[in-house]
Structure formats: C-alpha cells, structure tokens
Amino acid sequence: MASYETVLKGKYPAKQHARRVAEYLRKKNPHATGVLYLEAQKTKLIEDNDSDMLFRQRRYFYYLTGCPLADSYFTYDIATSKSTLFIPPIDAESVIWSGLPQSVDKALSLYDVDAVRTTDEVASALAHPHEGPVWAIANQVSDHISFLSFSATDFTLLKEAIEECRVVKDDYEVALIRKANAVSALAHTEVLKRVKHAKNERELEAAFIGTCIANGVREQAYHSIVASGEAAATLHYVKNDEPLEGKLNLLLDAGGEYNCYAADITRTFPISGTFSPESRAIYDTVLEMQHVCTNMLKAGAIWDTIHLKAHEIAIEGLLKLGILKGSPEDILKSRTSVAFLPHGLGHYLGMDTHDTGGHANYADKDTIFRYLRVRGKVPAGAVITVEPGIYFCRFIIEPYLKDPAHAQYINSEVLEKYWAVGGVRIEDNILVTDTGYENLTAAVKDVEEMGKIINGA
Ligand code: GLY
Ligand code: MN
Ligand code: MN
C-alpha cells in the first residue's frame, strides 16, 4: 500500500486547522475570543430545472471540518476549543429520491470535530448569550442566521486567517495531494498510450477523466487542457475538440481532485512519438528551466528570483536557437522574453488549483511579474507548481515584432520555423521542505520514456 494511503486512514485534521486559524486571529488581536462560524456550500438547482447543480464544497468550511456534506454549518469556540458540526437532518421528502442522509453518529466517527448536531438546531445554538464576537465570512451567512447574541461581528479576518493558514500543508493534506497526483499520473500515462492512434483531442480528454474515475478520483481539479499543435499556445485552452491529424505535439494540462485536494500536471509530447528538431530543442530548454528552478526551492526561497531564473534560461535557450538575438542582459531588461513566457512560474496548490495565500500583484507595472501568483518567500510545507513554458502564440508575439524596443531582439525569420511547435509547458507539484523539496509528481517527462510509451514499446 502506498504510504499516503496509511496517512489517509486517519481523519482529516480539522481541529488542528481550527486551532491554527484561532492562533492567527490571536496574533492579529491578542484578546480574540468568541466563536468562528462557517457554512458549507448550499445545494442549488439548475436554473429552470429540478436537477442539482454540480456540487463543490466550500473550501473555508472544509478546511475546518473535513466534511463534504452540503447545507451544513460549523462553530468553533475559541476559549474552549470546542468544535460543533451541524449536518442536515432526515427529511422524509428527500429520502424518497436520495436515500437516508448521513447520521449524526456516522458523522462523528468520520470528522475531526467534538460534537455533531443537526442543522435545525443552528439558530437556537447561536441565540444563546455569548461573551465575545463572532467571526464569519461576508456573504457566506444564511438569511435565517442571526448574530444578535454576540458582542460584535467580524466579517474580514476569518477569511484572511484561513487563506493564510492554507499555505502550509500538514502531512494529511500532502497525502491527499499525493493521491491526486498518483492517480493523475496514471491518467497521463493512459493518454500517452493512446495519443498516436487517437483522432481527436476529445478522445484523450475522455481517456484522462475515465482513468481518474476508474481509480477513485471522481472530480477534476480544473477543466483539462488537451491542446494539439498551435492550440498549445493558448494557456487555458479548453475546447478539446480538434482533430490531431497534421499536428506535431500535444500539451496535456490535467489533474484530478481527491477529497477536495488538487493535482495540477502538464506534459507536452510528440503525437507521433518523436519530436521534430525544433520541438525537441524547445522541450529541452523548458525541461532545463524546470530542473534548475525546482532545485532552487527550499524554505525561504524567493519565488520572484526563481521566476526570473526561468526567464534567464529561456533567453539563453532562445538565443542558442537564434530566435532571439542580442545580449541576454539587455533582453531580460527589456522584458522581451515575456512574449514567449507570458505567465508566472507557478502557484500554490491545495484545495484550489490556484491556491490561496500567494499575494499576487496583477497590477504590477513590470510585465515579467504581473501574472506571478506567488510573491516573496516560500515557506516549508507549501506545495507549489513549477511550470515553466515557452509558447509561440501569434496573438502575443506579433505586437512584439511591431515594437522596435522588442523587435530588435527577435529574429522573425528563425521564428517562422517554430510556430508549429505551438507551446511546451512542463508542470510538476513540489512540496517545499526546510532543506529543499520533494517532487510529488511522478508522471513521465523523459523524452525517451515518453517515446517508448507512445510507441507501445
Ligand atoms: N492548470 C492551470 C494551471 O496550470 O495553472
Ligand atoms: Mn498550474
Ligand atoms: Mn496546470
């Protein structure tokens, strides 16, 4: 049995999360007392229809409960550390269609909370006189809930506290990400096996999702990107419906989600099993970017510096190929490499694919940092994606060719040979440690290994 399976036999550490969140509040406000209050996501019907919308648990609620049930509530008393989960009671009408709901006893055995009650008791539980304030999240409080019995309400700090605490993962959360990664790696391999004989991107998307579900990972962390040929230059391409004939490469960015925790993996490979010389050159450059950048990771490393390193290696590689010309220092200073690598090197990964706490600055005037989703120091325990890429997107690059400040560094004749490469991205999920890192992604990325699987060798 994989070691993460042993960890996952325990309970999701909800109490530990509640304590950490309360500690964060106390750091901001040493006298913080009172009650943390959270609501699960509601079940909702599709507009003009009597079927449920796809349910996705609210992450703030899950972090403090580990409970996937819709329409539930949660309180945590800071002074006594007592947590209470309120789950839906039996509703005879819905039992006809959906069967019996989870019982209070079952919930108590499954979730790391001190007490479980039913949701018809939430309002009265909150109506008891309370000493301190209630901490809740704006726009995430039901109309029938009143906080009149509390001395005050705070609608800002709880959200911030959970978002900041989520950055550092405990062993259980890492185990969930490991499982999402292990199954997603199987699904990536399945796509490699099929790509040579598939006719359309959609067959590969089906193979990926089918393999995830068959292996116990029912949800996808995000819409798969199954991009052949020049479509690979569209960063979040989701059409996944184009024929593969005549295309060189496939970029597959796809990851399953297990118990609310995500994998986010990208691989780029030749549809025929063998890269063209241009594709191979770009692939090797991106692999080098990923290798060097990952090796720079350890607790306290500055993500902005690592991102700049990715650009430096991209510039070096593109200079060697003759796509860029001039001095590497001048090219970096002019930010011309942003034409080929317009996104950030990576982001935190957890319950959200683009997880919380990264402090991006999308208004940054410096284009090289604008889409960097993590800024500053990376702590031990964070899981971060390292996903360098080089793309040949006409819409992005053509304006650079028209701007003399950038055009002086780009050889458009050489560039002509590279449009068909589309784009190459390689993305792994990395656990940051005190002394370095651990790569949680085992999907194949070695060129020879990928070729063997594609060719069925
Ligand atoms: N799959 C989305 C991303 O890599 O950020
Ligand atoms: Mn990513
Ligand atoms: Mn991705």
Side-chain angles (χ1 to χ4, degrees):
M1 189 193 298
S3 62
Y4 59 78
E5 295 288 10
T6 311
V7 177
L8 296 178
K9 281 187 191 300
K11 286 184 182 181
Y12 181 88
K15 278 292 291 262
Q16 190 173 304
H17 291 170
R19 278 193 291 271
R20 282 180 59 204
V21 168
E23 230 168 76
Y24 184 96
L25 296 181
R26 260 193 246 109
K27 240 188 256 158
K28 293 265 164 163
N29 176 351
H31 304 297
T33 56
V35 170
L36 312 184
Y37 173 84
L38 290 163
E39 294 189 2
Q41 186 58 262
K42 309 277 186 210
T43 40
K44 289 181 191 135
L45 293 183
I46 298 172
E47 190 174 39
D48 303 325
N49 185 290
D50 66 354
S51 297
D52 286 348
M53 281 174 71
L54 187 67
F55 179 76
R56 182 178 192 266
Q57 185 57 288
R58 187 174 268 157
R59 272 32 186 164
Y60 300 105
F61 177 85
Y62 194 84
Y63 191 65
L64 271 75
T65 63
C67 170
L69 301 178
D71 306 314
S72 302
Y73 300 78
F74 174 77
T75 59
Y76 176 80
D77 187 305
I78 296 176
T80 62
S81 303
K82 183 176 177 183
S83 61
T84 307
L85 173 67
F86 298 85
I87 61 171
I90 293 174
D91 167 31
E93 282 277 316
S94 71
V95 173
I96 301 172
W97 309 105
S98 311
L100 282 167
Q102 195 164 84
S103 70
V104 165
D105 286 347
K106 182 75 183 167
L108 200 52
S109 74
L110 287 176
Y111 313 126
D112 183 21
V113 294
D114 295 314
V116 179
R117 300 169 69 177
T118 46
T119 55
D120 44 350
E121 299 179 52
V122 185
S124 61
L126 291 169
H128 286 287
H130 287 89
E131 288 270 308
V134 61
W135 309 83
I137 297 179
N139 304 316
Q140 295 189 3
V141 178
S142 299
D143 290 345
H144 74 284
I145 294 298
S146 155
F147 293 142
L148 285 174
S149 70
F150 292 89
S151 61
T153 50
D154 184 301
F155 283 115
T156 55
L157 208 51
L158 178 58
K159 183 169 184 281
E160 174 189 313
I162 296 175
E163 288 176 353
E164 294 302 322
C165 288
R166 278 171 57 180
V167 172
V168 173
K169 273 74 181 173
D170 41 49
D171 289 348
Y172 196 95
E173 292 176 286
V174 173
L176 290 169
I177 297 173
R178 282 183 205 278
K179 170 127 184 173
N181 253 277
V183 173
S184 302
L186 287 178
H188 269 269
T189 301
E190 189 58 34
V191 173
L192 282 175
K193 285 181 184 163
R194 296 198 193 195
V195 68
K196 196 168 181 174
H197 302 291
K199 297 270 178 275
N200 192 290
E201 293 164 350
R202 62 178 171 252
E203 294 166 47
L204 302 174
E205 182 176 24
F208 186 88
I209 296 175
T211 306
C212 284
I213 294 175
N215 287 280
V217 167
R218 189 159 172 221
E219 309 297 338
Q220 293 294 298
Y222 52 93
H223 296 292
S224 306
I225 297 163
V226 188
S228 59
E230 294 195 20
T234 301
L235 300 181
H236 286 171
Y237 173 84
V238 287
K239 190 165 178 274
N240 300 352
D241 197 23
E242 288 291 329
L244 302 177
E245 200 180 350
K247 315 277 180 60
L248 289 181
N249 305 316
L250 190 97
L251 184 151
L252 173 66
D253 182 346
E257 176 184 299
Y258 183 69
N259 287 4
C260 292
Y261 280 77
D264 181 7
I265 304 171
T266 308
R267 293 292 180 259
T268 311
F269 39 85
I271 292 169
S272 69
T274 309
F275 274 132
S276 69
E278 289 79 15
S279 298
R280 176 71 195 249
I282 298 300
Y283 189 87
D284 286 347
T285 303
V286 175
L287 196 59
E288 170 77 358
M289 290 157 76
Q290 198 200 36
H291 179 71
V292 172
C293 291
T294 305
N295 275 315
M296 290 170 78
L297 270 170
K298 67 174 183 178
I302 308 287
W303 189 241
D304 311 49
T305 309
I306 301 177
H307 172 74
L308 272 184
K309 187 60 162 182
H311 273 270
E312 284 171 12
I313 299 168
I315 290 167
E316 217 176 278
L318 294 171
L319 276 169
K320 230 190 263 166
L321 296 175
I323 298 170
L324 289 178
K325 55 188 179 177
S327 92
E329 296 77 22
D330 289 347
I331 296 170
L332 183 67
K333 215 162 135 206
S334 70
R335 302 314 197 207
T336 303
S337 55
V338 175
F340 301 92
L341 171 47
H343 63 72
L345 181 63
H347 48 83
Y348 288 140
L349 181 77
M351 283 191 282
D352 288 310
T353 304
H354 297 155
D355 214 24
T356 54
H359 303 284
N361 175 13
Y362 299 121
D364 199 323
K365 294 214 165 23
D366 187 342
T367 54
I368 213 164
F369 293 118
R370 186 168 299 157
Y371 298 118
L372 194 56
R373 293 180 195 269
V374 172
R375 302 298 295 264
K377 278 188 189 170
V378 180
V383 176
I384 194 163
T385 67
V386 179
E387 50 176 307
I390 291 178
Y391 308 89
F392 298 92
C393 174
R394 292 174 198 273
F395 183 80
I396 295 176
I397 294 173
E398 275 166 6
Y400 280 77
L401 295 174
K402 289 188 187 126
D403 178 348
H406 296 294
Q408 62 179 315
Y409 301 119
I410 303 173
N411 184 330
S412 48
E413 230 170 83
V414 179
L415 176 62
E416 270 312 305
K417 292 192 288 177
Y418 286 85
W419 295 117
V421 173
V424 171
R425 176 165 67 254
I426 308 172
E427 175 175 27
D428 286 349
N429 305 164
I430 307 294
L431 171 65
V432 180
T433 65
D434 282 320
T435 51
Y437 67 90
E438 185 189 343
N439 192 336
L440 306 178
T441 306
V444 179
K445 61 185 170 185
D446 174 78
V447 173
E448 275 69 38
E449 285 300 309
M450 291 194 302
K452 276 187 203 158
I453 299 171
I454 294 168
N455 287 314

